[in-house]
Amino acid sequence: MGKTVSTLCSDSFLSVLQELGNVNKLWLAYSGGMDSSVLLHLFYSNKEKIRHKIEVLYVNHGLQQEADDWSVFCQKQCEEYDFPFTELKVSESCPKGESVEAWAREKRYQLIDDIMEPNDVLFSGHHKDDQVETFFLQALRGAGVRGLSAMPLIKKKKNTFYVRPLLVYSREEIKHYANEHDLNWQEDKSNSDSRYDRNYFRHNLAAVIEEKWPAYRDTINRLIENQKETRLILDELAIEDINNAKNDNEISLDINTIKTLSKARQKNLIFVWLEQLGLQTPGSRHIEKIISDIINSDLDKSPCVNWPDVEIRRYKNTLYALKAMQNYDADTEFKWQPESILNIFEETLIAKRAKGIGISQNKVNGHDFIVRFRKGGEKIKPGHSSHSKTVKQLFQEHSVLPWYRNKIPLVYVNNELVAIPGFCVDKKYIAEKDEAAWDIHWSGFDKAIQL
């Protein structure tokens, strides 16, 4: 049969851990199927050699009636191996019209990402046949080099790692290992449902290809390795281009610098930049729109290209990438006791007790703070200024990014605007030297002012 999975422990399994360096905790994605059961057994067999805490994860998507039974099976196996077991449940249903496969994968990784800590490592049982299937499916979708690179052995995701140590082994080799060690596993009936793309390829196309080209898995894997090398070169080029275009902050790039690049390099830069920021990467259609509608737009425009959870915007000659901002009613307001922290739209307001800095406590004593947002026409007399300014003027002077201007909290007392956190306190309410004061800080200030 050639190389068997029984060599995995010494050849690949433990060596992967050595490549990762500083590792915290190991998580094992376990479904109860054959592949992950083999991986679980490999962990068990090497328990004494692995000097890290190990915990097993089962994600219950609730898509099959047997899902709860599989959870029970997985838990019993973990008890037998003396591994801690955690079940994560998907609490929603796949939206109508969406791919069940893609939706389930996204929800699975969302739950896993939420539970993992920095330097944690997730191991999964993907193997050579999975890799080849991924390549063909990506090719049929018209993917580029990155899609055709299929799955990496090690993928860094923010501060965590995803590892697939069985990628060099075929399904037959894994089955041989499972039978050799008399392992038990659960069969997922949905794996035979050819309505799903991966199953259709596996049951209807793979055998036909293998009949004509018996070694096609190895051939495709060599092709995948070539794509990975090409991707590495593209990533290195993108990092060089990003560093040349990068401003002082990470979330913005100089558009004039980007324009000096060829369109192909612009596309490459955008993809890798968003990947570095940990944002959901765009498809080719969105990248085309970023170039045509944002990078090549007129200087006085503030266009936006967005997809789920991501917004790409332009202000003057700068390109910005950010998480999609939460919409809200312009009439929204919050009653705030300054002794407590106020959470608003994924940001926080904190009032620190101070002396001579901020809002005079004596002048607001006995009154609640009311937090509102700009509608237009609001005025404030900053600090020791002798003239009032509109909030609009103030924001323009400070080059506040346009899409933040209606989301910056305005603090009122007795229906008077007394402070704009990070910008100014009204002259009437500003604390005198050594006077007890509230010094207000808004966590979104640095995001709103990027120039």
Side-chain angles (χ1 to χ4, degrees), residues 23-28 43 50-56 83-84 120-121:
V23 169
N24 182 26
K25 181 177 179 180
L26 307 184
W27 297 89
L28 170 59
F43 269 87
I50 301 173
R51 298 177 181 178
H52 300 285
K53 185 177 179 181
I54 301 170
E55 188 158 348
V56 180
F83 282 137
D120 280 2
V121 183

PDB file of all heavy atoms in Angstrom, residues 23-28 43 50-56 83-84 120-121:
ATOM      1  N   VAL A  23       3.343  27.248  21.848  1.00  0.00           N
ATOM      2  CA  VAL A  23       1.975  26.737  21.760  1.00  0.00           C
ATOM      3  C   VAL A  23       1.350  26.723  23.142  1.00  0.00           C
ATOM      4  O   VAL A  23       1.992  26.372  24.131  1.00  0.00           O
ATOM      5  CB  VAL A  23       1.969  25.312  21.163  1.00  0.00           C
ATOM      6  CG1 VAL A  23       0.607  24.667  21.311  1.00  0.00           C
ATOM      7  CG2 VAL A  23       2.368  25.366  19.696  1.00  0.00           C
ATOM      8  N   ASN A  24       0.083  27.103  23.214  1.00  0.00           N
ATOM      9  CA  ASN A  24      -0.628  27.116  24.483  1.00  0.00           C
ATOM     10  C   ASN A  24      -1.392  25.801  24.673  1.00  0.00           C
ATOM     11  O   ASN A  24      -0.918  24.881  25.314  1.00  0.00           O
ATOM     12  CB  ASN A  24      -1.572  28.323  24.533  1.00  0.00           C
ATOM     13  CG  ASN A  24      -2.324  28.437  25.840  1.00  0.00           C
ATOM     14  OD1 ASN A  24      -1.857  27.972  26.868  1.00  0.00           O
ATOM     15  ND2 ASN A  24      -3.485  29.045  25.794  1.00  0.00           N
ATOM     16  N   LYS A  25      -2.566  25.714  24.067  1.00  0.00           N
ATOM     17  CA  LYS A  25      -3.448  24.570  24.253  1.00  0.00           C
ATOM     18  C   LYS A  25      -3.771  23.937  22.907  1.00  0.00           C
ATOM     19  O   LYS A  25      -3.869  24.639  21.894  1.00  0.00           O
ATOM     20  CB  LYS A  25      -4.732  25.036  24.945  1.00  0.00           C
ATOM     21  CG  LYS A  25      -5.750  23.947  25.242  1.00  0.00           C
ATOM     22  CD  LYS A  25      -6.931  24.560  25.990  1.00  0.00           C
ATOM     23  CE  LYS A  25      -8.014  23.549  26.306  1.00  0.00           C
ATOM     24  NZ  LYS A  25      -9.140  24.155  27.033  1.00  0.00           N
ATOM     25  N   LEU A  26      -3.956  22.620  22.891  1.00  0.00           N
ATOM     26  CA  LEU A  26      -4.305  21.907  21.663  1.00  0.00           C
ATOM     27  C   LEU A  26      -5.783  21.526  21.698  1.00  0.00           C
ATOM     28  O   LEU A  26      -6.266  20.951  22.674  1.00  0.00           O
ATOM     29  CB  LEU A  26      -3.459  20.639  21.517  1.00  0.00           C
ATOM     30  CG  LEU A  26      -1.941  20.800  21.622  1.00  0.00           C
ATOM     31  CD1 LEU A  26      -1.258  19.463  21.364  1.00  0.00           C
ATOM     32  CD2 LEU A  26      -1.433  21.852  20.658  1.00  0.00           C
ATOM     33  N   TRP A  27      -6.491  21.851  20.615  1.00  0.00           N
ATOM     34  CA  TRP A  27      -7.882  21.463  20.444  1.00  0.00           C
ATOM     35  C   TRP A  27      -7.974  20.468  19.300  1.00  0.00           C
ATOM     36  O   TRP A  27      -7.289  20.613  18.288  1.00  0.00           O
ATOM     37  CB  TRP A  27      -8.748  22.672  20.110  1.00  0.00           C
ATOM     38  CG  TRP A  27      -8.817  23.717  21.177  1.00  0.00           C
ATOM     39  CD1 TRP A  27      -7.976  24.777  21.346  1.00  0.00           C
ATOM     40  CD2 TRP A  27      -9.787  23.810  22.221  1.00  0.00           C
ATOM     41  NE1 TRP A  27      -8.351  25.536  22.427  1.00  0.00           N
ATOM     42  CE2 TRP A  27      -9.465  24.977  22.978  1.00  0.00           C
ATOM     43  CE3 TRP A  27     -10.892  23.054  22.589  1.00  0.00           C
ATOM     44  CZ2 TRP A  27     -10.218  25.371  24.080  1.00  0.00           C
ATOM     45  CZ3 TRP A  27     -11.642  23.454  23.683  1.00  0.00           C
ATOM     46  CH2 TRP A  27     -11.310  24.597  24.424  1.00  0.00           C
ATOM     47  N   LEU A  28      -8.804  19.473  19.446  1.00  0.00           N
ATOM     48  CA  LEU A  28      -9.008  18.487  18.393  1.00  0.00           C
ATOM     49  C   LEU A  28     -10.451  18.541  17.920  1.00  0.00           C
ATOM     50  O   LEU A  28     -11.381  18.343  18.704  1.00  0.00           O
ATOM     51  CB  LEU A  28      -8.681  17.085  18.918  1.00  0.00           C
ATOM     52  CG  LEU A  28      -9.071  15.905  18.029  1.00  0.00           C
ATOM     53  CD1 LEU A  28      -8.378  15.997  16.672  1.00  0.00           C
ATOM     54  CD2 LEU A  28      -8.716  14.590  18.698  1.00  0.00           C
ATOM     55  N   PHE A  43      -3.588  11.180  18.858  1.00  0.00           N
ATOM     56  CA  PHE A  43      -3.356  11.995  20.048  1.00  0.00           C
ATOM     57  C   PHE A  43      -3.233  11.109  21.286  1.00  0.00           C
ATOM     58  O   PHE A  43      -2.350  11.294  22.121  1.00  0.00           O
ATOM     59  CB  PHE A  43      -4.506  12.988  20.238  1.00  0.00           C
ATOM     60  CG  PHE A  43      -4.275  14.318  19.576  1.00  0.00           C
ATOM     61  CD1 PHE A  43      -4.622  14.518  18.257  1.00  0.00           C
ATOM     62  CD2 PHE A  43      -3.710  15.365  20.281  1.00  0.00           C
ATOM     63  CE1 PHE A  43      -4.426  15.740  17.641  1.00  0.00           C
ATOM     64  CE2 PHE A  43      -3.506  16.601  19.688  1.00  0.00           C
ATOM     65  CZ  PHE A  43      -3.862  16.786  18.358  1.00  0.00           C
ATOM     66  N   ILE A  50       3.262  14.458  24.096  1.00  0.00           N
ATOM     67  CA  ILE A  50       2.711  15.796  23.854  1.00  0.00           C
ATOM     68  C   ILE A  50       2.598  16.526  25.180  1.00  0.00           C
ATOM     69  O   ILE A  50       1.788  16.170  26.026  1.00  0.00           O
ATOM     70  CB  ILE A  50       1.331  15.705  23.179  1.00  0.00           C
ATOM     71  CG1 ILE A  50       1.437  14.967  21.848  1.00  0.00           C
ATOM     72  CG2 ILE A  50       0.750  17.102  22.958  1.00  0.00           C
ATOM     73  CD1 ILE A  50       0.103  14.673  21.198  1.00  0.00           C
ATOM     74  N   ARG A  51       3.391  17.547  25.349  1.00  0.00           N
ATOM     75  CA  ARG A  51       3.426  18.249  26.644  1.00  0.00           C
ATOM     76  C   ARG A  51       2.542  19.503  26.617  1.00  0.00           C
ATOM     77  O   ARG A  51       2.965  20.593  26.972  1.00  0.00           O
ATOM     78  CB  ARG A  51       4.857  18.628  26.979  1.00  0.00           C
ATOM     79  CG  ARG A  51       5.757  17.406  27.128  1.00  0.00           C
ATOM     80  CD  ARG A  51       7.193  17.798  27.392  1.00  0.00           C
ATOM     81  NE  ARG A  51       8.046  16.637  27.510  1.00  0.00           N
ATOM     82  CZ  ARG A  51       9.368  16.692  27.704  1.00  0.00           C
ATOM     83  NH1 ARG A  51       9.963  17.878  27.791  1.00  0.00           N
ATOM     84  NH2 ARG A  51      10.081  15.588  27.795  1.00  0.00           N
ATOM     85  N   HIS A  52       1.337  19.321  26.160  1.00  0.00           N
ATOM     86  CA  HIS A  52       0.390  20.432  26.114  1.00  0.00           C
ATOM     87  C   HIS A  52      -0.977  19.933  26.571  1.00  0.00           C
ATOM     88  O   HIS A  52      -1.295  18.740  26.437  1.00  0.00           O
ATOM     89  CB  HIS A  52       0.267  20.992  24.697  1.00  0.00           C
ATOM     90  CG  HIS A  52       1.540  21.508  24.127  1.00  0.00           C
ATOM     91  ND1 HIS A  52       2.103  22.706  24.503  1.00  0.00           N
ATOM     92  CD2 HIS A  52       2.386  20.973  23.197  1.00  0.00           C
ATOM     93  CE1 HIS A  52       3.227  22.894  23.845  1.00  0.00           C
ATOM     94  NE2 HIS A  52       3.420  21.868  23.044  1.00  0.00           N
ATOM     95  N   LYS A  53      -1.777  20.838  27.062  1.00  0.00           N
ATOM     96  CA  LYS A  53      -3.141  20.493  27.427  1.00  0.00           C
ATOM     97  C   LYS A  53      -3.931  20.204  26.151  1.00  0.00           C
ATOM     98  O   LYS A  53      -3.845  20.928  25.169  1.00  0.00           O
ATOM     99  CB  LYS A  53      -3.784  21.639  28.198  1.00  0.00           C
ATOM    100  CG  LYS A  53      -5.180  21.324  28.736  1.00  0.00           C
ATOM    101  CD  LYS A  53      -5.733  22.479  29.557  1.00  0.00           C
ATOM    102  CE  LYS A  53      -7.130  22.141  30.066  1.00  0.00           C
ATOM    103  NZ  LYS A  53      -7.707  23.272  30.856  1.00  0.00           N
ATOM    104  N   ILE A  54      -4.702  19.122  26.170  1.00  0.00           N
ATOM    105  CA  ILE A  54      -5.467  18.695  25.002  1.00  0.00           C
ATOM    106  C   ILE A  54      -6.952  18.680  25.356  1.00  0.00           C
ATOM    107  O   ILE A  54      -7.339  18.165  26.403  1.00  0.00           O
ATOM    108  CB  ILE A  54      -5.038  17.287  24.537  1.00  0.00           C
ATOM    109  CG1 ILE A  54      -3.548  17.262  24.187  1.00  0.00           C
ATOM    110  CG2 ILE A  54      -5.883  16.827  23.346  1.00  0.00           C
ATOM    111  CD1 ILE A  54      -2.998  15.856  23.960  1.00  0.00           C
ATOM    112  N   GLU A  55      -7.774  19.246  24.485  1.00  0.00           N
ATOM    113  CA  GLU A  55      -9.218  19.203  24.671  1.00  0.00           C
ATOM    114  C   GLU A  55      -9.883  18.905  23.331  1.00  0.00           C
ATOM    115  O   GLU A  55      -9.438  19.387  22.285  1.00  0.00           O
ATOM    116  CB  GLU A  55      -9.746  20.512  25.247  1.00  0.00           C
ATOM    117  CG  GLU A  55     -11.217  20.440  25.636  1.00  0.00           C
ATOM    118  CD  GLU A  55     -11.615  21.489  26.673  1.00  0.00           C
ATOM    119  OE1 GLU A  55     -10.710  22.125  27.253  1.00  0.00           O
ATOM    120  OE2 GLU A  55     -12.822  21.668  26.892  1.00  0.00           O
ATOM    121  N   VAL A  56     -10.960  18.126  23.377  1.00  0.00           N
ATOM    122  CA  VAL A  56     -11.655  17.693  22.168  1.00  0.00           C
ATOM    123  C   VAL A  56     -12.932  18.504  21.987  1.00  0.00           C
ATOM    124  O   VAL A  56     -13.682  18.729  22.937  1.00  0.00           O
ATOM    125  CB  VAL A  56     -11.986  16.187  22.233  1.00  0.00           C
ATOM    126  CG1 VAL A  56     -12.720  15.733  20.980  1.00  0.00           C
ATOM    127  CG2 VAL A  56     -10.695  15.380  22.413  1.00  0.00           C
ATOM    128  N   PHE A  83      -9.788  12.304  27.719  1.00  0.00           N
ATOM    129  CA  PHE A  83      -9.623  13.636  27.167  1.00  0.00           C
ATOM    130  C   PHE A  83     -10.817  14.509  27.575  1.00  0.00           C
ATOM    131  O   PHE A  83     -11.967  14.056  27.513  1.00  0.00           O
ATOM    132  CB  PHE A  83      -9.576  13.604  25.630  1.00  0.00           C
ATOM    133  CG  PHE A  83      -8.260  13.171  25.051  1.00  0.00           C
ATOM    134  CD1 PHE A  83      -8.225  12.289  23.967  1.00  0.00           C
ATOM    135  CD2 PHE A  83      -7.064  13.650  25.558  1.00  0.00           C
ATOM    136  CE1 PHE A  83      -7.027  11.893  23.415  1.00  0.00           C
ATOM    137  CE2 PHE A  83      -5.846  13.255  25.003  1.00  0.00           C
ATOM    138  CZ  PHE A  83      -5.831  12.374  23.936  1.00  0.00           C
ATOM    139  N   PRO A  84     -10.583  15.757  27.957  1.00  0.00           N
ATOM    140  CA  PRO A  84     -11.709  16.680  28.201  1.00  0.00           C
ATOM    141  C   PRO A  84     -12.516  16.858  26.918  1.00  0.00           C
ATOM    142  O   PRO A  84     -11.951  16.907  25.822  1.00  0.00           O
ATOM    143  CB  PRO A  84     -11.029  17.988  28.610  1.00  0.00           C
ATOM    144  CG  PRO A  84      -9.648  17.606  29.021  1.00  0.00           C
ATOM    145  CD  PRO A  84      -9.287  16.400  28.208  1.00  0.00           C
ATOM    146  N   ASP A 120      -3.420  29.055  20.860  1.00  0.00           N
ATOM    147  CA  ASP A 120      -4.084  27.753  20.819  1.00  0.00           C
ATOM    148  C   ASP A 120      -3.976  27.184  19.407  1.00  0.00           C
ATOM    149  O   ASP A 120      -3.840  27.922  18.424  1.00  0.00           O
ATOM    150  CB  ASP A 120      -5.563  27.884  21.185  1.00  0.00           C
ATOM    151  CG  ASP A 120      -5.797  27.980  22.684  1.00  0.00           C
ATOM    152  OD1 ASP A 120      -4.807  27.983  23.433  1.00  0.00           O
ATOM    153  OD2 ASP A 120      -6.967  28.057  23.101  1.00  0.00           O
ATOM    154  N   VAL A 121      -4.049  25.856  19.313  1.00  0.00           N
ATOM    155  CA  VAL A 121      -3.934  25.168  18.018  1.00  0.00           C
ATOM    156  C   VAL A 121      -5.120  24.228  17.842  1.00  0.00           C
ATOM    157  O   VAL A 121      -5.431  23.442  18.741  1.00  0.00           O
ATOM    158  CB  VAL A 121      -2.620  24.358  17.921  1.00  0.00           C
ATOM    159  CG1 VAL A 121      -2.485  23.720  16.537  1.00  0.00           C
ATOM    160  CG2 VAL A 121      -1.423  25.245  18.216  1.00  0.00           C
TER     161      VAL A 121
END
